[in-house]
Amino acid sequence: MPDDALMPDNANVDQFDQIVDAVLAGAPPASDPELAALTQIAASLRDLPDENFQKRLRSDLQRRATMTTSTVAPAREGFRTVTPFIVVPNASELIEFLKQTFDAEETNRHPHGTDGFVASLKIGDSDLLIMGGQFLREQERFGAFHVFVPDCDAAYDRAIKAGGTSLGEPADRPYGERSGFVKDASGNYWYIATLLEGPPHTEGLGTVTPYAHPPKARPFIDFMKKAFNAQELAVYEQGGRVMHAAVRIGNTVMEMGESPDFQPSSFYLRVEDCDAAYQSALAAGAMSLWPPTDQAWGDRTAGLQDPFGYQWIPSTPVKKDR
Amino acid sequence: MSLDDDRERVEAAQRDPACFDELYERNFHRVYAYVVRRVGDRHQAEDLTAEVFREALAGIGKFEWRGVPFIAWLLRIASRAIADHWQRSGRESANPAPNADRPAPEEIERSAMLFQLVDRLPEAQFRVIHMRFVEQKSIREIAGELGRSEGAVKQLQLRAIENLRAQMEGAHA
């Protein structure tokens, strides 16, 4: 309604203003029924928010949101946005060197590739990731960085548009991240990641999960898709090699990692207490491959080989404080 | 706003916190109406409303969709912030909490709708309502600042409130 419409009657205008005065003083009078509805509105307007406050708070929230977007993508616990990632075959020697020289602390190590591992180290207030293993001997050396971003797919697309070469399209990874891999024009590798809420493929994981080591995982996965209607859940590729993958057939998940040499298939064993299962297996005559260790993807695992040559990996979700 | 809209906007803000803006615009008046009804003081209501939205923005990533409107989550944060506030101020002054009763959801909706309708009033009416009810100025002061007669300001005041009543009734018809 425009405000230059017909003027209300002057007596009403004055009478109503007296009511507003009384309302603002905190004592709404018993007005005549005709004005009662207006008096009620006036009483409610005492609580009207200040438009300047609403605008100030909006700007404050926008500023906070920008800071959140640009600097603090959720990262894995203990990680900053960018973490240098060193890739060398003789990583154990390098870690020893860093421990002796800089008092580095190894906080986590999990097996990787056929004979390798990825370790997290802390030096002062900084983190460092180191991948090692003899399987890296023939590969080119590169500088690599792990980066947490709010939206991995969008950052991956920007990286490709900016001249990067894809090393692996964004996909949900078994270690609780969605990530894509890009090589920049100078040859550096960027592992662009967004943290996933919880493990990406927990449904269908039984207590025992078969773990295969095919020489090539892609044709093996394709075969299972065509033959058994398998569904691809996660494929973790690095340098053209599938390090870890999971597929679902019916109600069962099967996991695998490529191995150029023959390796016996192993069994991933989900138990309540990884340490107790490890001790029981040792007592029953198994040989330790690695002791119970908290892994980056959220499981505590140990590796064992039974007296018949089969490998077992008891695992328990890492206990979280929250 | 349907639950689907609500969910879409929450998920957008979880992907990109810049999208939180829209959740703020849609829920500001409800949160403020709830808080001011319970604490009864403008400055405390502003501090607490700011606290609610800052906490909501910081925790949006942890919000889990369970089919309950987003405003319910905000009002839970508000309720906790008010309780903390009373605990703090109670320790300082030993005063009882001013309005421990939670206002009914219909009352919150009604106040929030009224506040939104004020934003849509014609500019002159909006100015008068804001100066009179938020800044608590007298008709004479407002007339002086706006360069209008006191009679014209009173008329704008009545016209604005009649406008609001008509729209509130229309909305509830």
Side-chain angles (χ1 to χ4, degrees), chain A residues 100-278:
Chain A
Q100 288 180 22
T101 311
F102 302 116
D103 202 21
E105 183 199 349
E106 186 177 329
T107 54
N108 184 297
R109 181 185 287 213
H110 65 268
H112 200 86
T114 49
D115 59 355
F117 63 87
V118 175
S120 309
L121 278 86
K122 251 197 178 335
I123 302 177
D125 67 356
S126 304
D127 297 292
L128 193 58
L129 285 163
I130 296 179
M131 184 195 283
Q134 293 308 309
F135 73 96
L136 295 164
R137 196 159 285 286
E138 302 303 318
Q139 294 189 11
E140 62 174 312
R141 300 290 169 83
F142 48 83
F145 301 90
H146 186 283
V147 192
F148 279 109
V149 294
D151 182 343
C152 139
D153 295 65
Y156 172 89
D157 287 344
R158 288 198 297 274
I160 299 299
K161 280 194 192 113
T165 313
S166 176
L167 298 167
E169 288 187 2
D172 290 352
R173 309 295 172 184
Y175 39 90
E177 293 172 11
R178 179 171 179 80
S179 49
F181 313 124
V182 173
K183 180 157 81 168
D184 69 27
S186 312
N188 302 301
Y189 282 29
W190 295 87
Y191 305 138
I192 302 170
T194 299
L195 204 60
L196 291 172
E197 295 273 330
H201 55 80
T202 47
E203 266 178 54
L205 287 176
T207 306
V208 178
T209 301
Y211 202 106
H213 294 284
K216 282 283 166 205
R218 283 284 180 195
F220 184 46
I221 293 171
D222 288 342
F223 163 77
M224 286 189 288
K225 280 181 179 170
K226 282 181 197 149
F228 310 121
N229 202 20
Q231 179 197 355
E232 191 175 307
L233 296 175
V235 176
Y236 170 37
E237 243 173 321
Q238 195 175 41
R241 182 169 184 173
V242 175
M243 299 300 190
H244 182 97
V247 297
R248 178 183 288 136
I249 302 175
N251 64 2
T252 304
V253 171
M254 176 170 178
E255 296 169 308
M256 73 204 73
E258 281 182 5
S259 169
D261 311 314
F262 172 78
Q263 288 226 0
S265 293
S266 48
F267 301 103
Y268 211 92
L269 184 66
R270 286 174 170 82
V271 292
E272 274 185 29
D273 185 343
C274 160
D275 295 59
Y278 175 76

Side-chain angles (χ1 to χ4, degrees), chain A residues 287-302:
Chain A
M287 189 176 75
S288 174
L289 297 171
W290 69 88
T293 310
D294 287 349
Q295 309 293 3
W297 63 87
D299 283 349
R300 182 171 176 79
T301 71

